[in-house]
Amino acid sequence: MPELPEVEVVRRGLERWVAHRTVAGAEVLHPRAVRRHLAGADDFTHRLEGHRIGAPSRRGKYLWLPLEDTPQAILAHLGMSGQLLIRPRTAPDEKHLRIRVRFADTPASADTDAAGTELRFVDQRTFGGLSLHDTTPDGLPDVIAHIARDPLDPLFDDEAFHQALRRKRSTIKRALLDQSLISGVGNIYADEALWRSRLHYDRPTAGFTRPRTLELLGHVRDVMTAALAVGGTSFDSLYVNVNGESGYFDRSLDAYGREGLPCRRCGTPMRRRPWMNRSSYFCPRCQRPPRVSS
Ligand SMILES: [Zn+2]
């Protein structure tokens, strides 16, 4: 499952390759890929035709392509294995090609790299897809209007996040993964930021001090920024960015996936514990579990 840095890498790729191009036509090759577009495949393709794509946007792990001349946007769901690829029109179809979007190349765009390319949504497991939605006055697709800003968003409110942590009867990793509080922090980056902050994943948030919250947010941002610099992590060999290149940040992870390996800070073997149908990786010495109150 791609996390925020991976999605941001895809967004940047799309910005370069599809922004401000006019859709000449779209083709849905598998109905499951547009199942979130409730009006169906024909409606999806008809509504796109002739519209210009605006600047691709992201909030947390959600990525969308606004249409420039109407308050609507194409929301991309990458799912487990979804890829948005830019390919020359003449390139053979991928085995798992689900949706193709062709563009009208105008004389102005004919000399650019993008000329002669099309956008392809390829998805082996078909958990992902594309759908068209109305947008809110802020420009968000209406179905994700409840998603909080992510920590890399300049308008993310650190103080409001701290107050929300204090109010919630939650534990810290649950809170980090709560998309209505903070978006874009997935399992991997939560474990990394908690390790850097020396915090156990089950620590109650009610007792968090402001400095502790700010330190944790700083580590969340550092981990994500470092991942972005190398193109995101890639744990799923099926996941590649918009130009088909895999990320390789996994080599520099400090916690996630390091069960039994020495903690890079104190040398204690790292542990893995089942956590909400996933796993949490932590150092039992640096990240002491909270005392259980009866
Ligand atoms: Zn340690």
Side-chain angles (χ1 to χ4, degrees), residues 176-194:
L176 285 176
L177 269 64
D178 180 342
Q179 303 288 300
S180 69
L181 283 182
I182 181 170
S183 68
V185 185
N187 201 42
I188 297 164
Y189 297 110
D191 280 4
E192 292 300 305
L194 289 169

Side-chain angles (χ1 to χ4, degrees), residues 57-253:
S57 300
R58 179 188 59 71
R59 177 172 283 194
K61 303 176 203 178
Y62 293 89
L63 174 70
W64 67 93
L65 304 173
L67 302 184
E68 279 186 343
D69 41 6
T70 179
Q72 294 199 310
I74 307 166
L75 185 60
H77 309 261
L78 297 175
M80 300 294 286
S81 55
Q83 300 169 279
L84 285 163
L85 303 176
I86 300 296
R87 289 281 182 260
R89 276 199 291 261
T90 50
D93 288 359
E94 289 72 15
K95 188 177 171 194
H96 302 290
L97 178 62
R98 307 302 185 199
I99 301 171
R100 180 203 319 277
V101 179
R102 289 187 309 273
F103 299 100
D105 287 317
T106 61
S109 67
D111 291 337
T112 67
D113 288 348
T117 61
E118 60 184 30
L119 176 65
R120 297 180 181 181
F121 181 75
V122 175
D123 192 3
Q124 182 182 338
R125 287 178 265 182
T126 64
F127 292 123
L130 302 179
S131 52
L132 196 60
H133 301 275
D134 291 337
T135 51
T136 67
D138 288 346
L140 264 75
D142 54 9
V143 290
I144 61 160
H146 62 289
I147 301 294
R149 291 187 188 276
D150 63 65
L152 299 185
D153 187 325
L155 295 179
F156 183 88
D157 187 337
D158 290 11
E159 179 61 22
F161 176 70
H162 174 62
Q163 295 303 334
L165 278 190
R166 302 265 310 175
R167 277 195 309 274
K168 283 243 166 196
R169 288 173 173 271
S170 190
T171 48
I172 189 55
K173 188 168 167 184
R174 263 176 198 271
L176 285 176
L177 269 64
D178 180 342
Q179 303 288 300
S180 69
L181 283 182
I182 181 170
S183 68
V185 185
N187 201 42
I188 297 164
Y189 297 110
D191 280 4
E192 292 300 305
L194 289 169
W195 180 84
R196 290 185 181 206
S197 305
R198 303 175 191 235
L199 289 171
H200 189 273
Y201 54 91
D202 267 343
R203 190 179 277 261
T205 58
F208 266 51
T209 60
R210 187 172 286 106
R212 172 161 284 168
T213 301
L214 295 179
E215 189 194 341
L216 176 59
L217 280 175
H219 287 306
V220 167
R221 291 183 173 120
D222 286 350
V223 167
M224 287 183 165
T225 306
L228 256 180
V230 293
T233 58
S234 185
F235 296 94
D236 185 339
S237 59
L238 288 168
Y239 182 78
V240 291
N241 72 27
V242 73
N243 287 319
E245 298 155 1
S246 292
Y248 55 91
F249 182 62
D250 51 319
R251 288 183 191 196
S252 45
L253 294 176

Side-chain angles (χ1 to χ4, degrees), residues 195 263-268 270 283-287:
W195 180 84
C263 168
R264 294 200 216 271
R265 200 161 37 215
C266 74
T268 306
M270 300 286 288
C283 168
R285 184 162 174 219
C286 297
Q287 297 166 272

